[in-house]
Amino acid sequence: MTMRLHTERAQGMVGDHHATFIPTHREDNDTPIVMQVSMSVPVSLEDVEAVFWILVNGGATLEPCELGDDQYAHAMVLETFLHEGSNRIYLVRQDIEDIKPGSGDYALLLMIRRRVAELYGRPDVPAPRRALTGV
């Protein structure tokens, strides 16, 4: 008797961008699916930079055939968040804060930041507050 393995795909949104990906725990998993889980997770650009940091340090590239492809990048953000978990994302963000300007890691970080900004933009910087003057 041969066992039929299933590779179930998951659906998600990264901002306004729809993506389909294979959740790692379901890849070639023959156990029956009994429920779906949906949630909305607040994510900062720094969180996405940490996701890209994990991906690039794991062997992914920023080239057009990988993270340079918008659809692939959105799917990898979802898959990595699910696979790595928010605790790992948090720890990587802390590691990123320790990167010194001028280092090779800093150059890589700048490339990642550019790509994340291309995909998800940069929030508007609020105008500086004017000092209150007593009149």
Side-chain angles (χ1 to χ4, degrees):
M1 173 183 216
T2 54
M3 192 179 304
R4 184 166 182 250
L5 298 176
H6 301 280
T7 302
E8 300 294 334
R9 296 197 172 269
Q11 308 290 320
M13 298 287 291
V14 183
D16 295 332
H17 310 281
H18 179 266
T20 301
F21 65 101
I22 299 171
T24 304
H25 73 287
R26 293 303 310 166
E27 192 165 6
D28 295 331
N29 187 336
D30 65 342
T31 59
I33 295 172
V34 297
M35 71 178 82
Q36 296 284 329
V37 175
S38 296
M39 63 182 76
S40 178
V41 179
V43 176
S44 70
L45 291 173
E46 290 78 12
D47 296 330
V48 178
E49 289 169 0
V51 166
F52 270 58
W53 186 261
I54 290 168
L55 289 165
V56 169
N57 283 286
T61 71
L62 296 170
E63 298 300 316
C65 61
E66 289 189 358
L67 296 174
D69 176 83
D70 293 358
Q71 278 306 112
Y72 182 79
H74 300 315
M76 289 298 95
V77 168
L78 290 169
E79 186 173 320
T80 303
F81 256 101
L82 180 63
H83 177 71
E84 297 290 339
S86 58
N87 285 337
R88 173 87 195 285
I89 304 303
Y90 172 75
L91 293 173
V92 170
R93 281 187 55 197
Q94 288 182 320
D95 290 344
I96 286 172
E97 288 178 17
D98 294 335
I99 295 173
K100 304 288 185 233
S103 68
D105 281 347
Y106 190 73
L108 176 59
L109 178 59
L110 291 179
M111 289 189 296
I112 287 171
R113 285 183 171 159
R114 271 193 300 277
R115 180 63 182 134
V116 169
E118 288 172 5
L119 285 168
Y120 305 112
R122 277 278 172 216
D124 292 332
V125 177
R129 290 187 172 191
R130 295 191 330 210
L132 297 175
T133 57
V135 182

